[in-house]
Amino acid sequence: MATANGDGVLRDREKTTRPSQTSDHEQVLPKTRQEVVSGQKERTFGFLRVKTAGESGRRGIHPLQFLAIIWRSSSWISRAVNILWPFVPAAIAVHYIESVRDRHVMKFSLAYIAMVPCANLIGFAGQELARKMPHMLGVLAETTIASIVEIILFMVLLVGEQYYVIQAAILGSILANMLLCLGLCFFTAGLRREIATFHAAVSEVGSNLLLIAGLGLAIPTVFQRSIGSGFNLAAEDIENRVLNISRIVAVLLLIAYAVFLVFQMSTHHGLYAEAFEHDEDRDADKHEDRKKAKLTFTECIFALAVSVALVTLIAIALVGEIPAIVEENHVSDPFMGLILVPLVEKAAEHLTAIDEAWDNQINFALIHCIGATLQTAMLNAPLVVLVGWGKNVPMDLNFEIFDIVMLILAIITVGNFLRDQKSDYLEGFLCVIVYVAIAVAAFYFPNPHDAVGHGEGGEAAGEAAGEAAEHVARHLGLL
């Protein structure tokens, strides 16, 4: 009887005990996901204090068990993705074979498919590593690790001077997380229950930050369109001003993200911990997860190292084929950057979030969607601008007016869905439909080199930007 009620007694005791009241032998530390359920304690590896909630009782690397756990993965969706692993060596091989140098569609397709299982391995290894950490630190580590694919792709594109594709991919990644991933989470959760409810700290703070990040990213674009006509400024002068503004905005967004991390990890940690503990209590398959074999800390690091190396190789192969695909196969740069690249770079996060929504862990799912979106807008995008600054290349945040308007409107739409702190399958379905509609428009959007020029037509673009800004102001009650 004492064993059966031990978890509940421990949880109540931890909630009511102050750190100052604990003994020197029992330090109060933030709890991990699994500790909420199992009440496990920590284990020390050298100078690292690793939480054993996600441990399997093993140390080091055990090849057969390691491969079995990787193959099993975290859900049946991830397990199905593992079937695509044969594409990985095939994609790397054809990239270096001279006889297929001109087979651009085949090489691009193989690299595109091969990226999915590698990204899935990064996501799974990050998820296993996060189980060994306190709640918020684990979620942050898991989201950051899953963004490795995006950062690698951005840097490879930057080296290839494909600035337009990077700009489109930044906004495309945000749209994919907000509309496609979040929509699929709402839809998946709605299939098992009539209404899915989530915590106010996750929805309100997240939606407000999304709006701020979107407006920050829009500033260089609106500035360029506003002075593109009607001012006696040379085109080079305008470009320099926009570039300087983009770099300053990038620094400001990084500062804002750092303050958000302090808010989330330190000053208001309790709000998020409460939401995550609630999700742990209602996890639909928590007992099955507890029985599953888990990776050791060493195996997590090894899996991350291997998957990052593979992603880097495949990203180089993938990006190298983009110019040929765009020029010879009539795939536009906007569709490539806004839709195709974000889908493959965010595959791991999407699979994880959907699985959590299915298990009734909607707060975890929202953190993966919103957290990844904020990381793209306030960390990864500014990072690529600053790296471009260091390389002295003109990487800025001057987006196409179509892209930035779609971003602002999508943020407003998602904010409305999050406002009531509950969702159903209809809201999820509508988000996916909007994403498909944007994808169709991006497919028919012409390439930048087909346009007359940014300078010409600036008046019409500026008017569109003004209308978008007015819509946002009315939404916020400023007009």
Side-chain angles (χ1 to χ4, degrees):
M1 196 61 151
T3 303
N5 296 331
D7 290 341
V9 173
L10 178 60
R11 187 179 299 112
D12 293 338
R13 185 178 301 166
E14 289 180 342
K15 287 183 178 179
T16 57
T17 304
R18 289 186 174 183
S20 60
Q21 295 174 330
T22 60
S23 66
D24 295 335
H25 301 286
E26 293 182 358
Q27 298 179 358
V28 175
L29 295 174
K31 297 191 292 181
T32 65
R33 297 189 187 186
Q34 298 295 321
E35 277 188 315
V36 175
V37 179
S38 61
Q40 291 176 313
K41 296 182 180 180
E42 64 191 34
R43 178 182 298 172
T44 301
F45 291 86
F47 64 91
L48 292 176
R49 178 174 293 169
V50 179
K51 308 297 288 188
T52 60
E55 282 291 338
S56 61
R58 300 179 291 115
R59 288 194 179 190
I61 299 178
H62 303 260
L64 293 181
Q65 288 177 298
F66 172 74
L67 293 176
I69 295 172
I70 292 297
W71 176 258
R72 183 211 70 206
S73 199
S74 59
S75 65
W76 67 268
I77 303 178
S78 298
R79 193 158 49 247
V81 168
N82 285 331
I83 299 175
L84 302 176
W85 271 106
F87 286 91
V88 176
I92 297 175
V94 298
H95 178 65
Y96 295 100
I97 296 177
E98 293 292 331
S99 59
V100 294
R101 176 182 296 181
D102 298 329
R103 303 287 296 275
H104 300 294
V105 174
M106 180 189 72
K107 294 167 69 176
F108 178 84
S109 301
L110 286 174
Y112 193 86
I113 296 173
M115 185 68 77
V116 177
C118 295
N120 183 56
L121 178 57
I122 290 179
F124 176 68
Q127 189 176 15
E128 289 288 295
L129 187 61
R131 292 177 183 272
K132 312 174 194 307
M133 300 179 180
H135 269 307
M136 282 313 308
L137 181 60
V139 170
L140 178 62
E142 188 176 350
T143 305
T144 303
I145 290 170
S147 294
I148 290 176
V149 180
E150 180 174 79
I151 295 173
I152 292 174
L153 276 172
F154 284 175
M155 295 307 161
V156 175
L157 287 166
L158 186 65
V159 172
E161 298 182 353
Q162 299 188 45
Y163 310 130
Y164 183 87
V165 177
I166 297 176
Q167 291 171 340
I170 289 171
L171 299 191
S173 177
I174 297 173
L175 290 174
N177 276 319
M178 284 197 308
L179 295 176
L180 180 63
C181 183
L182 189 65
L184 289 176
C185 288
F186 285 170
F187 183 81
T188 303
L191 292 179
R192 298 190 69 178
R193 56 201 62 85
E194 185 176 353
I195 296 293
T197 58
F198 36 86
H199 199 277
V202 177
S203 59
E204 292 181 7
V205 176
S207 58
N208 291 339
L209 277 172
L210 284 176
L211 186 57
I212 296 301
L215 291 177
L217 292 175
I219 290 173
T221 304
V222 175
F223 176 84
Q224 195 277 339
R225 299 307 191 274
S226 299
I227 67 172
S229 62
F231 292 88
N232 188 21
L233 295 173
E236 184 178 356
D237 187 16
I238 295 176
E239 291 176 0
N240 288 333
R241 294 186 184 207
V242 172
L243 184 59
N244 291 331
I245 291 174
S246 298
R247 291 168 175 173
I248 294 172
V249 168
V251 173
L252 293 175
L253 287 175
L254 284 174
I255 295 173
Y257 187 70
V259 174
F260 167 62
L261 290 183
V262 173
F263 177 89
Q264 188 181 54
M265 302 289 295
S266 179
T267 60
H268 290 68
H269 172 271
L271 292 176
Y272 293 91
E274 177 186 350
F276 295 148
E277 289 183 17
H278 179 63
D279 265 20
E280 288 290 353
D281 290 337
R282 63 181 183 180
D283 184 3
D285 59 356
K286 59 184 177 183
H287 300 293
E288 296 179 7
D289 285 341
R290 218 187 312 173
K291 297 176 183 177
K292 290 179 181 178
K294 300 173 180 65
L295 295 178
T296 66
F297 180 83
T298 307
E299 288 171 341
C300 290
I301 301 301
F302 178 74
L304 286 172
V306 172
S307 54
V308 167
L310 291 174
V311 162
T312 303
L313 291 174
I314 295 172
I316 294 172
L318 181 70
V319 171
E321 303 302 321
I322 288 179
I325 295 295
V326 171
E327 294 173 7
E328 300 175 9
N329 295 275
H330 308 292
V331 177
S332 67
D333 272 330
F335 185 74
M336 178 66 69
L338 201 65
I339 305 299
L340 292 182
V341 172
L343 282 180
V344 71
E345 73 185 25
K346 291 296 184 182
E349 293 171 355
H350 292 182
L351 293 176
T352 300
I354 292 170
D355 179 56
E356 289 171 338
W358 178 258
D359 292 336
N360 200 23
Q361 294 184 292
I362 193 66
N363 289 307
F364 279 120
L366 280 180
I367 279 291
H368 276 104
C369 295
I370 299 177
T373 303
L374 293 174
Q375 206 161 57
T376 298
M378 305 176 75
L379 178 63
N380 298 349
L383 181 63
V384 75
V385 171
L386 296 182
V387 172
W389 189 2
K391 292 173 61 66
N392 198 27
V393 296
M395 177 64 216
D396 58 28
L397 298 176
N398 183 21
F399 303 100
E400 287 292 334
I401 195 67
F402 167 78
D403 297 346
I404 204 68
V405 169
M406 288 299 99
L407 173 68
I408 299 299
L409 294 180
I411 290 174
I412 294 173
T413 301
V414 171
N416 281 330
F417 285 162
L418 295 176
R419 183 178 299 173
D420 60 357
Q421 300 167 29
K422 59 184 180 180
S423 67
D424 50 51
Y425 74 87
L426 177 61
E427 292 181 347
F429 182 77
L430 294 177
C431 285
V432 175
I433 287 296
V434 171
Y435 182 79
V436 173
I438 294 175
V440 171
F443 181 79
Y444 286 102
F445 202 89
N447 284 320
H449 55 74
D450 295 333
V452 177
H454 282 296
E456 300 181 27
E459 183 177 351
E463 183 179 348
E467 291 178 359
E470 181 181 354
H471 185 84
V472 173
R474 290 186 183 279
H475 173 75
L476 296 176
L478 302 178
L479 294 178

